[in-house]
Amino acid sequence: MNQDEQKRAVAHAALKFALPYFDAGAILGIGTGSTVDQFVAALAPHAARIAGAVPSSERTARALTGAGIRIVDLNDVAAVPIYVDGCDEIDGCLCMIKGGGAALTQEKIVAAVATTFVCIADESKRVDVLGRFPLPVEVIPLARAYVARELAALGGRAVWRPNVVTDNGNVILDVHGLHIVEPIMLNMGVTEPAAGFLPGLRALCDEFNALLVFDEVKTGVKIAPGGATEHYKIRPDIVVLAKAIGGGLPLAAFGASAEIMEEINSFRVIHVGTYASNPITLAAAEVTLKEILTPDAYRTLFALNRKLVDGYAAIIRELGMPCYANGVGSMGTINFKKDVIRDYRDWVTLDRRATQAWYLAMLNEGVIPQPPGPDEQWTITVQHTEADIETHLKVFRKVAPLLKSL
Ligand code: 5RP
């Protein structure tokens, strides 16, 4: 299939997914771009069944009108059950870069109101790590140079997109060279240090001739086959692994360059251990890494995790709860704090009472949402199914009003 055929195919797949929404009288949210144009074309024969659509740009509004679909103002609807849009890049965790078509602000607003986001994208948009496509930022014209300087201070090179004025009368800065990373503190829920932190650390270690050691006990094989090292494309000098690599049996491992390992090889550093190289454990690890954690398994794990995180986010939004859910790879959690946690100082102000109440309330309804404690997070495994995610979310929807009244 060439790219155009793929765009048509994903548009038709989205149409099939959206049909039950039409019949329920839903107002659709519609993104912008050539893939979305295909979706609007696919919608046209069903125009009479569609109650209305909120467009994310003037371009899409024109296409919808041409297809005979009623345009609805976002301010006039209480809910947008489904939003369909394309993207410029999308990774295995379903995080994406948007804005190639300069409609990003309205797209993100309609998407924020929507309960379900259906992303339609051809193969060329799939990446392992976001950032090859420059990150579009919409800026009011007055702030252009200032914002470009601020982005430079963050390590990005902002390029003013020529001859483009957005539907909001603004300009676009395309930011190149940003390291878009999601490093994680997993003993603080799922906390991501500021962008640029890991590259900065690597640079400091190089400057001062220090070894950079990644503790991948929790991230190893859970956020990518190569853990954080692969996910963030930052090469540590030593990596430490455990937990998931043993497939349920106790196993820990470390790896380093040949030069560092020579310290052990030459017996300058002695490495021995009672359980080192246990054959049963190593057989379990081999099966786990080669036969269970396959590329297909990762795709399923990441999609299920995204569904759980998004499902939490939708319920939280609907009820106006002062908390948020986030996740990376196969892991996620709910944070009982309104603002995004960035560091330990933020994290200690988490509402522990609410975390405990959530955990117990879910438990009472038969769902163990994650290990107990606000420092923990859930992990989706190959044993989990769509039905498990739906049950989890159904139970959260039931207990959420109780938590809201805490
Ligand atoms: C517009 C967008 C588009 O969704 C993105 O650029 C993809 O476009 P296309 O479907 O034409 O490849 O973000 O702002």
Side-chain angles (χ1 to χ4, degrees), residues 96-166:
M96 57 184 97
I97 289 185
K98 291 197 42 59
L104 61 155
T105 304
Q106 293 189 32
E107 287 172 345
K108 287 173 186 176
I109 292 169
V110 184
V113 175
T115 312
T116 299
F117 187 129
V118 178
C119 179
I120 46 177
D122 62 79
E123 221 171 42
S124 69
K125 309 293 176 66
R126 175 76 171 84
V127 294
D128 289 330
V129 177
L130 297 176
R132 203 179 49 211
F133 192 93
L135 182 76
V137 177
E138 181 167 354
V139 190
I140 59 172
L142 170 79
R144 177 177 48 79
Y146 166 65
V147 173
R149 284 195 298 275
E150 291 293 305
L151 288 166
L154 289 174
R157 187 170 53 84
V159 177
W160 182 13
R161 200 183 293 180
N163 307 321
V164 171
V165 177
T166 71

Side-chain angles (χ1 to χ4, degrees), residues 248-306:
L249 289 185
L251 178 63
F254 60 90
S257 63
E259 187 194 348
I260 294 171
M261 285 308 221
E262 187 53 28
E263 294 293 306
I264 294 170
N265 203 30
S266 64
F267 294 100
R268 283 185 357 124
V269 173
I270 303 295
H271 171 61
V272 288
T274 307
Y275 295 112
S277 313
N278 178 285
I280 298 173
T281 306
L282 290 181
E286 189 173 9
V287 172
T288 304
L289 300 179
K290 289 187 178 163
E291 292 170 35
I292 299 176
L293 292 176
T294 59
D296 270 353
Y298 276 106
R299 265 189 290 280
T300 307
L301 288 175
F302 293 171
L304 288 179
N305 191 42
R306 185 46 54 195

Side-chain angles (χ1 to χ4, degrees), residues 29-37 54-60 74 80 82-89 96-114 116-120 125 133 136 138 161 166-168 172:
I30 314 279
T32 302
S34 56
T35 319
V36 164
D37 287 346
V54 178
S56 62
S57 63
E58 287 167 15
R59 167 180 170 167
T60 299
L74 185 62
V80 177
I82 177 172
Y83 175 71
V84 179
D85 199 357
C87 71
D88 298 299
E89 272 189 358
M96 57 184 97
I97 289 185
K98 291 197 42 59
L104 61 155
T105 304
Q106 293 189 32
E107 287 172 345
K108 287 173 186 176
I109 292 169
V110 184
V113 175
T116 299
F117 187 129
V118 178
C119 179
I120 46 177
K125 309 293 176 66
F133 192 93
E138 181 167 354
R161 200 183 293 180
T166 71
D167 289 352
N168 313 308
I172 298 284

Side-chain angles (χ1 to χ4, degrees), residues 34-76:
S34 56
T35 319
V36 164
D37 287 346
Q38 295 289 348
F39 178 62
V40 176
L43 286 179
H46 306 273
R49 286 164 73 185
I50 302 173
V54 178
S56 62
S57 63
E58 287 167 15
R59 167 180 170 167
T60 299
R62 280 193 299 275
L64 286 168
T65 307
I69 297 164
R70 187 172 76 92
I71 303 289
V72 181
D73 188 309
L74 185 62
N75 294 306
D76 296 334

